[in-house]
């Protein structure tokens, strides 16, 4: 009896898609595995992530709870990480010749600090395994045949339709939702996608004159909302960015999108210090330097330029001496340091968004297999799902974990079908 050669199509040549393709082909060497990528190059996003260095995972040693790491999809990720976690990712890349280095902040990079090493490793593994990679091939529609197989129709009829036994959709995030239109005929539930992980513009505000300054530990929140984040904050010529702001934009992604990215951002420049604690610190500074001008004695992490701006925002003359501050002046300054309001108007558009919140609703899939509940043989992995994370290598970890789990279950299903 002749065994039918299975055909598995993967739509999207990003991290999840390429990683899954390698594993499916290794598990099913006799199967035809093809990756269909709309762009001219596969793994284009991996090539530029982490500033071109590729933060491919995180040690999770000092990481917050999974709920804080993955604002959407934490329960699914908890399950997937039991199957393929950060140690598995590190082991896999090291076994394939990539030397890794872990930074003090627990982020893991290739020792070469070159994202292209990760790209070339994945492409070489795909080629060696026999995966067929088709770039510049945009899938326009995905439909299900009466036989249970799937038909891929391509944009502009650039090539004949492709019929496959199983499909893994790994098309990535789609801020405008257009990238999800290929699923229209399958009627899966979609969570409207919105951007995540971006800086916030604070136009015409004096703090933009401090461009390049990093304040190492601040707390940021949104007035009128419960969203809050902490970490380094970067001042730019257009507003605020850095890990603290990026995390806040992740936690509050739907909220901010609904308000067209306009919101009063409350910055505690003193990190976790409260108003009263900060007031005690200021009083100590006044006792130690009563005759010094307030402009010349300040918390060193703020820098002189930002400090003078904060003095101005507090209504304090920089030439005033500390002994002349008075209780009201001290309290106003303490309040500015711990609850400085910055009117954010818009997000930073200087770079493409690397992450989107929303996508295919998790209610569509079996969490153990990533197979669609309504359509057997259809799988989803990566950012196309409503799963996203804060910065620190966690989004790529999700891609590796999902790609691996989807591949394992596709192979298992194909083997079972062929044994019948």
């Amino acid at each position: 009896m002749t065994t039918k050669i299975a055909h598995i199509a993967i739509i999207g040549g990003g991290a999840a898609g390429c990683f899954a393709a390698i594993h499916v082909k290794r598990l099913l060497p006799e199967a035809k595995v093809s990756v269909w990528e709309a762009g001219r190059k596969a793994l284009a996003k991996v090539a530029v992530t982490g500033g071109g260095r590729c933060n491919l995972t995180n040690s999770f040693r000092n990481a917050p709870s999974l709920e804080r790491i993955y604002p959407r999809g934490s329960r699914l990720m908890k399950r997937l990480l039991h199957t393929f976690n950060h140690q598995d990712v590190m082991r896999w890349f090291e076994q394939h010749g990539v030397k890794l280095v872990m930074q003090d902040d627990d982020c893991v990079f290739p020792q070469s600090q070159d994202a292209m090493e990760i790209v070339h490793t994945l492409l070489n593994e795909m080629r060696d395994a026999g995966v067929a990679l088709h770039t510049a091939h945009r899938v326009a529609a995905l439909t299900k045949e009466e036989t249970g197989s799937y038909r891929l129709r391509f944009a502009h009829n650039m090539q004949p339709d492709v019929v496959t036994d199983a499909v893994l959709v790994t098309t990535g995030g789609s801020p405008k939702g257009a990238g999800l239109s290929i699923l229209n005929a399958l009627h899966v539930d979609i969570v409207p996608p919105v951007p995540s992980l971006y800086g916030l513009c604070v136009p015409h505000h004096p703090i933009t004159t401090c461009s390049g300054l990093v304040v190492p530990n601040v707390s940021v929140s949104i007035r009128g909302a419960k969203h809050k984040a902490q970490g380094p904050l970067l001042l730019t010529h257009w507003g605020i960015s850095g890990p603290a702001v990026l995390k806040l934009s992740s936690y509050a992604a739907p909220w901010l999108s609904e308000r067209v990215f306009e919101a009063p951002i409350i910055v505690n420049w003193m990190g976790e210090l409260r108003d009263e604690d900060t007031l005690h610190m200021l009083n100590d500074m006044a006792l130690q330097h009563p005759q010094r001008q307030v402009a010349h004695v300040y918390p060193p992490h703020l820098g002189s330029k930002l400090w003078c701006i904060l003095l101005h925002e507090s209504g304090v003359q920089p030439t005033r001496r500390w002994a002349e501050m008075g209780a009201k002046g001290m309290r106003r300054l303490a309040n500015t340091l711990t609850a400085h309001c910055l009117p954010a108007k818009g997000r930073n558009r200087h770079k493409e968004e690397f992450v989107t919140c929303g996508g295919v609703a998790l209610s569509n899939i079996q969490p153990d297999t990533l197979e669609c509940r309504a359509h057997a043989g259809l799988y989803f992995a990566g950012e196309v799902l409503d799963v996203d994370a804060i910065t620190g290598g966690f989004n790529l970890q999700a891609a590796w974990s999902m790609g691996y789990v989807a591949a394992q279950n596709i192979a298992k299903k194909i083997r079972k079908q062929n044994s019948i």
Side-chain angles (χ1 to χ4, degrees), residues 162-242:
V162 171
V163 178
T164 69
D165 300 287
V167 175
L168 172 60
V169 179
T170 58
T171 48
S174 182
K176 297 180 181 179
L180 300 171
S181 63
I182 68 167
L183 303 172
N184 286 350
L186 299 174
H187 305 292
V188 297
D189 294 329
I190 302 293
V191 177
V194 297
S196 181
L197 293 185
Y198 46 79
L200 291 166
C201 298
V202 189
H204 313 300
H205 195 283
I207 64 162
T208 58
T209 63
C210 299
S211 180
L213 175 65
V214 176
V215 183
N217 185 36
V218 305
S219 293
V220 288
S221 58
I222 301 174
R223 180 177 290 167
K226 296 180 180 180
H227 309 292
K228 184 177 181 179
Q230 189 171 350
L233 183 145
L234 169 67
L235 294 172
T236 75
H237 66 280
W238 43 260
I240 52 176
S241 187

Side-chain angles (χ1 to χ4, degrees), residues 19 56-57 84-102 108-111 117-118 121-122 125 400:
F19 202 60
L56 57 90
T57 189
F84 196 79
N85 62 21
H86 65 284
Q87 293 174 326
D88 298 313
V89 170
M90 294 171 66
R91 188 179 303 113
W92 190 88
F93 279 101
E94 287 173 335
Q95 287 174 347
H96 290 82
V98 179
K99 293 182 179 180
L100 303 176
V101 61
M102 189 183 301
V108 178
F109 289 85
Q111 191 178 75
E117 183 179 9
I118 302 299
T121 297
L122 293 169
E125 285 300 309
W400 311 131

Side-chain angles (χ1 to χ4, degrees), residues 17-218:
C18 290
F19 202 60
I22 294 166
H23 284 87
V24 169
K25 188 62 177 175
R26 295 295 189 194
L27 292 166
L28 297 173
E30 71 284 357
K32 180 180 180 182
V33 179
S34 57
V35 175
W36 304 91
E37 164 58 35
R40 293 185 177 182
K41 293 182 179 180
L43 300 163
K45 192 170 174 181
V46 174
V48 297
T49 189
R53 299 187 298 133
C54 192
N55 181 189
L56 57 90
T57 189
N58 190 286
S59 75
F60 285 76
R61 290 182 307 186
N62 300 302
S65 67
L66 284 182
E67 288 77 15
R68 295 295 285 172
I69 293 173
Y70 295 99
R72 275 109 355 220
S74 60
R75 291 177 64 186
L76 175 64
M77 285 308 303
K78 183 176 181 180
R79 188 184 298 257
L80 298 179
L81 288 169
H82 280 303
T83 302
F84 196 79
N85 62 21
H86 65 284
Q87 293 174 326
D88 298 313
V89 170
M90 294 171 66
R91 188 179 303 113
W92 190 88
F93 279 101
E94 287 173 335
Q95 287 174 347
H96 290 82
V98 179
K99 293 182 179 180
L100 303 176
V101 61
M102 189 183 301
Q103 297 185 164
D104 292 340
D105 60 1
D106 298 324
C107 294
V108 178
F109 289 85
Q111 191 178 75
S112 64
Q113 300 290 295
D114 185 2
M116 291 309 297
E117 183 179 9
I118 302 299
V119 171
H120 291 146
T121 297
L122 293 169
L123 291 177
N124 289 341
E125 285 300 309
M126 289 170 67
R127 182 198 63 222
D128 293 346
V131 174
L133 173 60
H134 306 272
T135 57
H137 280 71
R138 182 179 297 278
V139 176
L142 177 64
T143 56
K144 192 174 183 179
E145 306 281 277
E146 291 183 2
T147 59
S149 56
Y150 291 88
R151 180 177 295 273
L152 281 64
R153 194 179 78 244
F154 295 86
H156 312 300
N157 297 315
M158 62 172 51
Q159 80 152 57
D161 293 357
V162 171
V163 178
T164 69
D165 300 287
V167 175
L168 172 60
V169 179
T170 58
T171 48
S174 182
K176 297 180 181 179
L180 300 171
S181 63
I182 68 167
L183 303 172
N184 286 350
L186 299 174
H187 305 292
V188 297
D189 294 329
I190 302 293
V191 177
V194 297
S196 181
L197 293 185
Y198 46 79
L200 291 166
C201 298
V202 189
H204 313 300
H205 195 283
I207 64 162
T208 58
T209 63
C210 299
S211 180
L213 175 65
V214 176
V215 183
N217 185 36
V218 305

Side-chain angles (χ1 to χ4, degrees), residues 369-388:
T369 64
L370 302 182
E371 185 175 21
C372 184
R373 296 180 189 273
H375 302 290
L378 173 64
Y379 297 78
F380 295 96
E383 203 182 332
V384 70
L385 286 168
D386 184 23
V387 177
D388 62 284

